[in-house]
Each structure stands twice: as C-alpha cells, then as structure tokens.
Amino acid sequence: MARLIRSNNKVIAGVCAGLAENFRIDVKLLRLIFVILFFVTFSAMAVAYLILWVLMPVDARSRNYKERMQDRLGR
C-alpha cells in the first residue's frame, strides 16, 4: 500500500490532496466531504484534519513556492 503523504497541491496543509491522490479520488470531492463532515460532526473533522496534518509527512519531491519561482525566473 502506498504511504500517505501531504501533497504540494494544497489549500491549507495538503492533507485532502494527499488523501485524494492516495485513494485516487477527485480532490474537490474529498474537500467537499471534509467540509460537510465538519458541520455534521460538530467540528470533530477539524480535529481529525489537525491530527492528519501532524502525522502525514510532506512530499519529499515537493518544493516550496519560493524555490519554484526562482527556477521560473532563472535565478
């Protein structure tokens, strides 16, 4: 089984994008599910998201925004 990692395709921390890539689900659908569950479970999903944020490692292949912009500008 593939290892869960946070994705560089992120809105907040890359947790939903990482889960979507791992389970081959559309990231927008997974984000919508997280938002709906946030309200249905009375914020328990926020706690789950924070736990996943802490436990899931960052994708080692991803680079931060500053490095990508420097490459694009040729610096």
Side-chain angles (χ1 to χ4, degrees):
M1 184 172 170
R3 190 170 155 212
L4 284 176
I5 55 174
R6 287 187 288 155
S7 176
N8 196 28
N9 176 16
K10 59 185 176 181
V11 173
I12 297 176
V15 172
C16 287
L19 289 171
E21 289 172 7
N22 188 55
F23 295 113
R24 294 183 179 102
I25 303 171
D26 182 35
V27 69
K28 292 177 185 176
L29 176 65
L30 191 64
R31 287 176 180 150
L32 179 65
I33 291 169
F34 261 72
V35 169
I36 291 170
L37 287 175
F38 173 79
F39 291 108
V40 171
T41 62
F42 302 105
S43 303
M45 207 58 194
V47 173
Y49 189 91
L50 291 173
I51 291 170
L52 287 171
W53 188 351
V54 170
L55 295 179
M56 288 174 65
V58 178
D59 185 1
R61 298 169 297 175
S62 68
R63 300 179 312 164
N64 66 25
Y65 179 78
K66 185 177 179 181
E67 289 173 341
R68 290 193 319 263
M69 289 299 110
Q70 287 176 347
D71 286 347
R72 286 184 187 171
L73 296 173
R75 296 181 185 171

